[in-house]
Amino acid sequence: MALDPLFPADAFRRTDETPDAQFYQQPRFVTHIDEGAIAAVTQLYREYFPANGTLLDLMSSWISHLPPDVPYERVVGLGMNEQELRANPRLASYVVQDLNQEPQLPFEENEFDGAAICVSVDYLTRPVEVLRDLTRVLRPDAPVVITFSNRCFPTKAVAAWHALDDRGHLALVKQYLLAAGNWHPIELLDRSPQPRRSDPLYVVIGRVQKP
């Protein structure tokens, strides 16, 4: 496993180091945040992703939380469970790939107008490599919208995630983007529904700046 020198050697260790393909073998047709937080994700996508654009849903599942009334030219999913991906009605196509084993994305340069990573960034053991290659497949100024809450599969979240609070998670994901390079500007947002009766929602957004 290649580790970025900016992070400690044990930052990306997990309690459960069994192959992720084994962990995700059984489909989970559930949502991992509640309705209020999902609505906040959908609103973010409405704001940041262009209508009629081509989008990449990284670490995708059976639902993408895109606005139902906004048309997109094409939405491509990349995830771990084929049954979940096949059931996602917004995906025009999908790829089954473990980014912790193979962080290089199987797409062409400048293929997408935006990318989403929804409540999954805490499971990446090679986040800098993934986000670095993401700049290759996104068009100039295209955004990545990275959302997360206070829920996770604890045995699969990396050690660095467990060591930090919500504010620390925002700073950590920002550091991932800075270490990857070619992301500017970077926004840190708290889009938790108000009043706070729902799951919190935190957001890191970067835009691709090609060298």
Side-chain angles (χ1 to χ4, degrees):
M1 180 187 301
L3 291 177
D4 191 282
L6 293 177
F7 300 97
D10 60 351
F12 300 111
R13 291 181 178 168
R14 284 100 42 94
T15 303
D16 179 4
E17 292 288 9
T18 59
D20 289 344
Q22 178 179 323
F23 183 82
Y24 293 104
Q25 184 175 11
Q26 295 299 318
R28 295 176 174 88
F29 292 105
V30 297
T31 54
H32 300 286
I33 46 177
D34 64 19
E35 291 184 2
I38 288 172
V41 172
T42 300
Q43 179 58 31
L44 282 161
Y45 293 169
R46 189 186 301 277
E47 294 173 22
Y48 283 89
F49 293 151
N52 301 309
T54 299
L55 303 180
L56 175 59
D57 186 4
L58 274 180
M59 308 180 79
S60 183
S61 181
W62 66 283
I63 186 168
S64 292
H65 305 315
L66 292 163
D69 57 318
V70 177
Y72 300 99
E73 179 179 336
R74 186 167 60 102
V75 181
V76 178
L78 185 151
M80 289 290 294
N81 185 279
E82 186 168 9
Q83 287 177 263
E84 293 178 9
L85 295 167
R86 192 186 309 127
N88 189 325
R90 296 307 295 265
L91 300 183
S93 62
Y94 62 81
V95 175
V96 177
Q97 181 172 321
D98 182 353
L99 293 174
N100 291 338
Q101 291 294 319
E102 178 47 73
Q104 299 301 304
L105 303 173
F107 307 112
E108 300 295 326
E109 292 186 10
N110 301 315
E111 188 169 343
F112 298 101
D113 299 299
I117 303 176
C118 184
V119 295
S120 298
V121 69
D122 40 323
Y123 307 123
L124 286 174
T125 62
R126 302 165 73 173
V128 174
E129 292 174 80
V130 171
L131 293 169
R132 183 177 295 135
D133 199 48
L134 186 58
T135 66
R136 177 184 62 82
V137 305
L138 289 180
R139 296 181 179 123
D141 203 42
V144 60
V145 178
I146 304 171
T147 52
F148 50 89
S149 188
N150 59 356
R151 298 189 186 187
C152 67
F153 297 124
T155 62
K156 282 297 184 181
V158 299
W161 199 263
H162 284 297
L164 298 167
D165 60 10
D166 297 328
R167 188 181 299 273
H169 294 155
L170 286 165
L172 178 66
V173 177
K174 179 180 179 180
Q175 286 302 312
Y176 290 167
L177 292 170
L178 289 173
N182 298 328
W183 293 103
H184 182 78
I186 298 171
E187 300 177 72
L188 309 182
L189 305 175
D190 182 346
R191 286 294 188 93
S192 302
Q194 300 294 333
R196 293 206 179 193
R197 299 191 185 97
S198 295
D199 292 333
L201 190 80
Y202 306 101
V203 194
V204 179
I205 298 167
R207 289 188 179 272
V208 173
Q209 299 298 313
K210 300 283 186 176

